[in-house]
Short mmCIF file of all heavy atoms in Angstrom, two decimals:
data_model
loop_
_atom_site.label_atom_id
_atom_site.label_comp_id
_atom_site.label_asym_id
_atom_site.label_seq_id
_atom_site.Cartn_x
_atom_site.Cartn_y
_atom_site.Cartn_z
N SER A 78 0.82 -1.25 -0.02
CA SER A 78 -0.02 0.00 0.03
C SER A 78 0.81 1.26 0.01
O SER A 78 0.51 2.25 -0.68
CB SER A 78 -0.92 0.02 1.26
OG SER A 78 -1.70 -1.12 1.25
N ILE A 79 1.96 1.21 0.76
CA ILE A 79 2.81 2.43 0.88
C ILE A 79 3.46 2.73 -0.49
O ILE A 79 3.58 3.83 -1.02
CB ILE A 79 3.91 2.30 1.89
CG1 ILE A 79 3.19 2.22 3.30
CG2 ILE A 79 4.97 3.26 1.82
CD1 ILE A 79 4.17 1.97 4.49
N VAL A 80 3.91 1.60 -1.20
CA VAL A 80 4.51 1.80 -2.46
C VAL A 80 3.47 2.36 -3.50
O VAL A 80 3.84 3.19 -4.35
CB VAL A 80 5.08 0.45 -3.00
CG1 VAL A 80 5.47 0.49 -4.47
CG2 VAL A 80 6.28 0.03 -2.20
N TYR A 81 2.29 1.86 -3.44
CA TYR A 81 1.26 2.27 -4.31
C TYR A 81 1.00 3.80 -4.13
O TYR A 81 0.94 4.62 -5.10
CB TYR A 81 -0.11 1.55 -4.06
CG TYR A 81 -1.21 2.18 -4.84
CD1 TYR A 81 -1.45 1.63 -6.17
CD2 TYR A 81 -2.11 3.14 -4.28
CE1 TYR A 81 -2.50 2.21 -6.96
CE2 TYR A 81 -3.22 3.61 -5.01
CZ TYR A 81 -3.39 3.18 -6.36
OH TYR A 81 -4.37 3.66 -7.01
N VAL A 82 0.87 4.30 -2.90
CA VAL A 82 0.63 5.65 -2.61
C VAL A 82 1.88 6.54 -3.06
O VAL A 82 1.73 7.52 -3.71
CB VAL A 82 0.34 5.94 -1.22
CG1 VAL A 82 0.29 7.49 -0.82
CG2 VAL A 82 -0.84 5.25 -0.78
N VAL A 83 3.11 6.01 -2.65
CA VAL A 83 4.28 6.85 -2.97
C VAL A 83 4.53 7.02 -4.47
O VAL A 83 4.98 8.03 -5.02
CB VAL A 83 5.51 6.22 -2.29
CG1 VAL A 83 6.80 6.81 -2.75
CG2 VAL A 83 5.52 6.35 -0.82
N THR A 84 4.21 5.96 -5.28
CA THR A 84 4.49 6.00 -6.73
C THR A 84 3.33 6.81 -7.44
O THR A 84 3.62 7.23 -8.62
CB THR A 84 4.68 4.56 -7.31
OG1 THR A 84 3.56 3.83 -6.98
CG2 THR A 84 5.93 3.96 -6.62
N TRP A 85 2.22 6.79 -6.95
CA TRP A 85 1.03 7.45 -7.58
C TRP A 85 1.04 8.91 -7.33
O TRP A 85 0.43 9.58 -8.14
CB TRP A 85 -0.28 6.78 -7.24
CG TRP A 85 -0.72 5.87 -8.32
CD1 TRP A 85 -0.66 4.46 -8.24
CD2 TRP A 85 -1.22 6.14 -9.74
NE1 TRP A 85 -1.08 3.87 -9.42
CE2 TRP A 85 -1.41 4.84 -10.32
CE3 TRP A 85 -1.33 7.29 -10.36
CZ2 TRP A 85 -1.91 4.83 -11.56
CZ3 TRP A 85 -1.91 7.21 -11.66
CH2 TRP A 85 -2.08 6.04 -12.28
N LEU A 86 1.36 9.41 -6.21
CA LEU A 86 1.26 10.78 -5.85
C LEU A 86 2.00 11.77 -6.89
O LEU A 86 1.45 12.73 -7.27
CB LEU A 86 1.70 11.07 -4.44
CG LEU A 86 0.77 10.65 -3.31
CD1 LEU A 86 1.34 10.90 -1.94
CD2 LEU A 86 -0.54 11.47 -3.52
N PRO A 87 3.28 11.38 -7.22
CA PRO A 87 3.93 12.24 -8.28
C PRO A 87 3.26 12.33 -9.59
O PRO A 87 3.15 13.35 -10.21
CB PRO A 87 5.26 11.54 -8.43
CG PRO A 87 5.55 10.77 -7.16
CD PRO A 87 4.19 10.33 -6.73
N THR A 88 2.57 11.16 -10.01
CA THR A 88 1.80 11.16 -11.28
C THR A 88 0.52 12.17 -11.16
O THR A 88 0.29 12.90 -12.04
CB THR A 88 1.41 9.74 -11.60
OG1 THR A 88 2.50 8.88 -11.82
CG2 THR A 88 0.55 9.75 -12.85
N LEU A 89 -0.05 12.00 -9.98
CA LEU A 89 -1.24 12.95 -9.82
C LEU A 89 -0.86 14.48 -9.75
O LEU A 89 -1.55 15.29 -10.33
CB LEU A 89 -1.93 12.59 -8.47
CG LEU A 89 -2.63 11.23 -8.40
CD1 LEU A 89 -3.17 10.92 -7.09
CD2 LEU A 89 -3.74 11.17 -9.47
N VAL A 90 0.23 14.67 -9.13
CA VAL A 90 0.83 16.05 -9.08
C VAL A 90 1.17 16.67 -10.42
O VAL A 90 0.81 17.75 -10.84
CB VAL A 90 1.97 16.16 -8.07
CG1 VAL A 90 2.62 17.61 -8.17
CG2 VAL A 90 1.44 15.93 -6.65
N VAL A 91 1.92 15.80 -11.23
CA VAL A 91 2.32 16.26 -12.54
C VAL A 91 1.08 16.45 -13.56
O VAL A 91 1.08 17.37 -14.21
CB VAL A 91 3.27 15.11 -13.22
CG1 VAL A 91 3.50 15.37 -14.62
CG2 VAL A 91 4.61 15.22 -12.43
N ASN A 92 0.14 15.54 -13.39
CA ASN A 92 -1.10 15.79 -14.31
C ASN A 92 -1.82 16.98 -13.87
O ASN A 92 -2.42 17.65 -14.66
CB ASN A 92 -1.94 14.53 -14.20
CG ASN A 92 -1.39 13.39 -15.09
OD1 ASN A 92 -1.68 13.36 -16.30
ND2 ASN A 92 -0.68 12.40 -14.54
N GLY A 93 -1.92 17.26 -12.46
CA GLY A 93 -2.51 18.47 -12.07
C GLY A 93 -1.81 19.78 -12.61
O GLY A 93 -2.49 20.73 -12.98
N VAL A 94 -0.41 19.69 -12.54
CA VAL A 94 0.39 20.76 -13.04
C VAL A 94 0.02 20.95 -14.55
O VAL A 94 -0.12 22.06 -15.06
CB VAL A 94 1.84 20.51 -12.85
CG1 VAL A 94 2.71 21.64 -13.58
CG2 VAL A 94 2.15 20.66 -11.37
N LYS A 95 -0.04 19.90 -15.34
CA LYS A 95 -0.34 19.89 -16.79
C LYS A 95 -1.70 20.60 -17.03
O LYS A 95 -1.95 21.33 -18.04
CB LYS A 95 -0.24 18.57 -17.40
CG LYS A 95 1.21 18.17 -17.55
CD LYS A 95 1.27 16.79 -18.26
CE LYS A 95 2.68 16.17 -18.39
NZ LYS A 95 2.71 14.97 -19.04
N VAL A 96 -2.76 20.25 -16.21
CA VAL A 96 -4.09 20.72 -16.49
C VAL A 96 -4.05 22.32 -16.18
O VAL A 96 -4.71 23.00 -16.90
CB VAL A 96 -5.01 19.96 -15.54
CG1 VAL A 96 -6.36 20.71 -15.58
CG2 VAL A 96 -5.20 18.55 -15.92
N LEU A 97 -3.39 22.68 -15.08
CA LEU A 97 -3.39 24.02 -14.63
C LEU A 97 -2.49 24.89 -15.64
O LEU A 97 -2.77 26.08 -15.77
CB LEU A 97 -2.99 24.17 -13.34
CG LEU A 97 -3.92 23.64 -12.26
CD1 LEU A 97 -3.34 23.70 -10.82
CD2 LEU A 97 -5.43 24.10 -12.23
N SER A 98 -1.49 24.31 -16.11
CA SER A 98 -0.49 25.02 -16.97
C SER A 98 -0.44 24.45 -18.35
O SER A 98 0.29 23.48 -18.66
CB SER A 98 0.93 24.97 -16.37
OG SER A 98 0.92 25.50 -15.02
N HIS A 99 -1.36 24.89 -19.22
CA HIS A 99 -1.49 24.22 -20.53
C HIS A 99 -0.23 24.40 -21.30
O HIS A 99 0.44 25.44 -21.45
CB HIS A 99 -2.66 25.02 -21.30
CG HIS A 99 -3.93 24.91 -20.65
ND1 HIS A 99 -4.59 23.71 -20.35
CD2 HIS A 99 -4.76 25.87 -20.25
CE1 HIS A 99 -5.72 23.98 -19.72
NE2 HIS A 99 -5.87 25.24 -19.62
N GLY A 100 0.20 23.25 -21.89
CA GLY A 100 1.44 23.21 -22.69
C GLY A 100 2.82 23.50 -21.97
O GLY A 100 3.68 24.07 -22.58
N ILE A 101 2.89 23.05 -20.73
CA ILE A 101 4.02 23.28 -20.02
C ILE A 101 5.16 22.56 -20.60
O ILE A 101 6.35 23.03 -20.56
CB ILE A 101 3.89 22.94 -18.51
CG1 ILE A 101 5.11 23.38 -17.69
CG2 ILE A 101 3.54 21.43 -18.30
CD1 ILE A 101 4.88 23.18 -16.18
N GLU A 102 5.00 21.36 -21.13
CA GLU A 102 6.10 20.63 -21.75
C GLU A 102 6.65 21.36 -23.00
O GLU A 102 7.84 21.23 -23.23
CB GLU A 102 5.66 19.21 -22.04
CG GLU A 102 5.51 18.25 -20.89
CD GLU A 102 5.27 16.80 -21.37
OE1 GLU A 102 5.04 16.58 -22.45
OE2 GLU A 102 5.41 15.94 -20.43
N GLU A 103 5.77 21.85 -23.75
CA GLU A 103 6.12 22.50 -25.02
C GLU A 103 6.85 23.88 -24.80
O GLU A 103 7.41 24.46 -25.62
CB GLU A 103 4.94 22.75 -26.04
CG GLU A 103 4.40 21.32 -26.44
CD GLU A 103 3.48 20.70 -25.46
OE1 GLU A 103 2.84 21.41 -24.74
OE2 GLU A 103 3.50 19.45 -25.46
N HIS A 104 6.46 24.53 -23.59
CA HIS A 104 6.93 25.85 -23.40
C HIS A 104 8.10 25.94 -22.46
O HIS A 104 8.53 27.02 -22.07
CB HIS A 104 5.77 26.75 -22.89
CG HIS A 104 4.70 26.97 -23.87
ND1 HIS A 104 3.68 26.00 -24.02
CD2 HIS A 104 4.41 27.99 -24.69
CE1 HIS A 104 2.93 26.41 -24.92
NE2 HIS A 104 3.23 27.66 -25.38
N SER A 105 8.70 24.79 -21.94
CA SER A 105 9.73 24.75 -21.02
C SER A 105 11.03 24.33 -21.56
O SER A 105 11.10 23.76 -22.71
CB SER A 105 9.31 23.93 -19.73
OG SER A 105 8.94 22.65 -20.19
N ALA A 106 12.12 24.35 -20.80
CA ALA A 106 13.49 23.92 -21.18
C ALA A 106 13.64 22.39 -20.90
O ALA A 106 12.78 21.80 -20.23
CB ALA A 106 14.43 24.69 -20.47
N PRO A 107 14.61 21.74 -21.49
CA PRO A 107 14.79 20.30 -21.34
C PRO A 107 14.72 19.86 -19.83
O PRO A 107 14.04 18.77 -19.58
CB PRO A 107 16.09 20.01 -22.01
CG PRO A 107 16.16 21.02 -23.10
CD PRO A 107 15.59 22.27 -22.46
N PRO A 108 15.47 20.38 -18.93
CA PRO A 108 15.30 19.94 -17.60
C PRO A 108 13.97 19.80 -16.99
O PRO A 108 13.66 18.93 -16.18
CB PRO A 108 16.24 20.87 -16.80
CG PRO A 108 17.16 21.53 -17.80
CD PRO A 108 16.36 21.68 -18.99
N VAL A 109 13.08 20.81 -17.35
CA VAL A 109 11.74 20.78 -16.75
C VAL A 109 10.89 19.65 -17.38
O VAL A 109 10.28 18.90 -16.72
CB VAL A 109 11.12 22.13 -17.10
CG1 VAL A 109 9.62 22.18 -16.56
CG2 VAL A 109 11.84 23.28 -16.33
N TYR A 110 10.92 19.59 -18.80
CA TYR A 110 9.96 18.65 -19.29
C TYR A 110 10.49 17.17 -19.20
O TYR A 110 9.71 16.21 -19.18
CB TYR A 110 9.64 18.84 -20.83
CG TYR A 110 10.74 18.95 -21.80
CD1 TYR A 110 11.40 17.79 -22.25
CD2 TYR A 110 11.08 20.24 -22.39
CE1 TYR A 110 12.40 17.99 -23.24
CE2 TYR A 110 12.12 20.25 -23.27
CZ TYR A 110 12.74 19.12 -23.72
OH TYR A 110 13.75 19.22 -24.66
N ILE A 111 11.88 16.97 -19.09
CA ILE A 111 12.32 15.61 -18.79
C ILE A 111 12.10 15.23 -17.29
O ILE A 111 11.61 14.11 -17.04
CB ILE A 111 13.86 15.71 -18.85
CG1 ILE A 111 14.28 15.85 -20.41
CG2 ILE A 111 14.55 14.33 -18.40
CD1 ILE A 111 15.77 16.03 -20.61
N THR A 112 12.16 16.19 -16.41
CA THR A 112 11.66 15.82 -14.94
C THR A 112 10.19 15.51 -14.92
O THR A 112 9.83 14.63 -14.26
CB THR A 112 12.03 17.09 -14.09
OG1 THR A 112 13.36 17.36 -14.18
CG2 THR A 112 11.61 16.70 -12.62
N LEU A 113 9.32 16.26 -15.61
CA LEU A 113 7.98 16.00 -15.63
C LEU A 113 7.68 14.58 -16.23
O LEU A 113 6.83 13.78 -15.72
CB LEU A 113 7.21 17.03 -16.52
CG LEU A 113 7.08 18.45 -15.79
CD1 LEU A 113 6.46 19.45 -16.80
CD2 LEU A 113 6.34 18.51 -14.49
N ARG A 114 8.38 14.29 -17.27
CA ARG A 114 8.14 12.94 -17.89
C ARG A 114 8.67 11.85 -16.96
O ARG A 114 7.99 10.75 -16.86
CB ARG A 114 8.86 12.86 -19.17
CG ARG A 114 8.63 11.68 -20.04
CD ARG A 114 7.19 11.55 -20.47
NE ARG A 114 6.75 12.60 -21.29
CZ ARG A 114 6.87 12.72 -22.63
NH1 ARG A 114 7.43 11.64 -23.26
NH2 ARG A 114 6.38 13.77 -23.28
N PHE A 115 9.71 12.08 -16.17
CA PHE A 115 10.25 11.12 -15.36
C PHE A 115 9.28 10.81 -14.18
O PHE A 115 8.99 9.73 -13.81
CB PHE A 115 11.61 11.56 -14.84
CG PHE A 115 12.08 10.74 -13.65
CD1 PHE A 115 12.59 9.41 -13.73
CD2 PHE A 115 12.07 11.30 -12.33
CE1 PHE A 115 13.03 8.68 -12.71
CE2 PHE A 115 12.60 10.63 -11.29
CZ PHE A 115 13.07 9.33 -11.41
N LEU A 116 8.77 11.97 -13.58
CA LEU A 116 7.88 11.87 -12.42
C LEU A 116 6.48 11.21 -12.83
O LEU A 116 5.88 10.40 -12.08
CB LEU A 116 7.62 13.18 -11.84
CG LEU A 116 8.79 13.85 -11.11
CD1 LEU A 116 8.37 15.32 -10.66
CD2 LEU A 116 9.28 13.10 -9.93
N ASN A 117 6.04 11.50 -14.02
CA ASN A 117 4.92 10.85 -14.55
C ASN A 117 4.79 9.40 -14.82
O ASN A 117 3.85 8.73 -14.89
CB ASN A 117 4.45 11.67 -15.83
CG ASN A 117 2.97 11.59 -16.13
OD1 ASN A 117 2.10 11.36 -15.24
ND2 ASN A 117 2.58 11.67 -17.40
N SER A 118 6.12 8.90 -15.06
CA SER A 118 6.26 7.48 -15.35
C SER A 118 6.48 6.60 -13.95
O SER A 118 6.60 5.39 -14.08
CB SER A 118 7.31 7.22 -16.29
OG SER A 118 8.59 7.70 -15.84
N LEU A 119 6.63 7.25 -12.89
CA LEU A 119 6.95 6.56 -11.64
C LEU A 119 5.85 5.61 -11.21
O LEU A 119 6.23 4.61 -10.49
CB LEU A 119 7.36 7.52 -10.52
CG LEU A 119 8.65 8.21 -10.70
CD1 LEU A 119 8.84 9.10 -9.38
CD2 LEU A 119 9.82 7.26 -10.65
N PHE A 120 4.67 5.79 -11.60
CA PHE A 120 3.57 4.88 -11.16
C PHE A 120 3.82 3.42 -11.64
O PHE A 120 3.25 2.52 -11.01
CB PHE A 120 2.27 5.36 -11.63
CG PHE A 120 1.88 5.12 -12.96
CD1 PHE A 120 1.24 3.93 -13.35
CD2 PHE A 120 2.16 5.88 -14.06
CE1 PHE A 120 0.98 3.57 -14.66
CE2 PHE A 120 1.89 5.67 -15.34
CZ PHE A 120 1.24 4.55 -15.76
N THR A 121 4.62 3.29 -12.76
CA THR A 121 4.94 1.91 -13.19
C THR A 121 5.66 1.09 -12.07
O THR A 121 5.64 -0.11 -12.02
CB THR A 121 5.74 1.94 -14.47
OG1 THR A 121 5.22 2.85 -15.38
CG2 THR A 121 5.89 0.56 -15.08
N LEU A 122 6.43 1.82 -11.23
CA LEU A 122 7.10 1.10 -10.08
C LEU A 122 6.08 0.31 -9.19
O LEU A 122 6.52 -0.68 -8.64
CB LEU A 122 7.88 2.12 -9.33
CG LEU A 122 9.26 2.61 -9.76
CD1 LEU A 122 9.69 3.74 -8.94
CD2 LEU A 122 10.22 1.55 -9.72
N ASN A 123 4.97 0.85 -9.12
CA ASN A 123 3.91 0.08 -8.27
C ASN A 123 3.74 -1.29 -8.82
O ASN A 123 3.55 -2.23 -8.05
CB ASN A 123 2.60 0.99 -8.31
CG ASN A 123 1.45 0.23 -7.75
OD1 ASN A 123 1.53 -0.28 -6.63
ND2 ASN A 123 0.47 0.01 -8.57
N ASN A 124 3.68 -1.50 -10.12
CA ASN A 124 3.37 -2.77 -10.71
C ASN A 124 4.59 -3.63 -10.77
O ASN A 124 4.59 -4.90 -10.94
CB ASN A 124 2.82 -2.61 -12.17
CG ASN A 124 1.70 -1.66 -12.17
OD1 ASN A 124 1.84 -0.63 -12.94
ND2 ASN A 124 0.65 -1.88 -11.43
N VAL A 125 5.83 -3.05 -10.59
CA VAL A 125 7.02 -3.75 -10.63
C VAL A 125 7.60 -4.28 -9.22
O VAL A 125 8.10 -5.30 -9.09
CB VAL A 125 8.14 -2.93 -11.32
CG1 VAL A 125 9.56 -3.64 -11.35
CG2 VAL A 125 7.78 -2.67 -12.84
#
């Protein structure tokens, strides 16, 4: 249960940021959109 919560919270936060800031990946520098993509994919750890 702890792993599920810890791995899903970053995904929820990133998607919330994308909803509030339209096009943040297209309007930002590489460190920002790479970090967003990394955090958004962490929920896969829950299944692994």
Side-chain angles (χ1 to χ4, degrees):
S78 304
I79 292 174
V80 170
Y81 175 85
V82 174
V83 170
T84 54
W85 261 108
L86 282 180
T88 301
L89 292 175
V90 172
V91 168
N92 281 278
V94 170
K95 288 183 177 181
V96 170
L97 297 175
S98 303
H99 301 302
I101 186 172
E102 287 189 344
E103 295 80 31
H104 294 83
S105 57
V109 176
Y110 60 73
I111 293 173
T112 303
L113 291 174
R114 186 65 60 90
F115 169 73
L116 293 176
N117 201 25
S118 61
L119 282 182
F120 79 91
T121 313
L122 279 170
N123 166 58
N124 310 119
V125 177

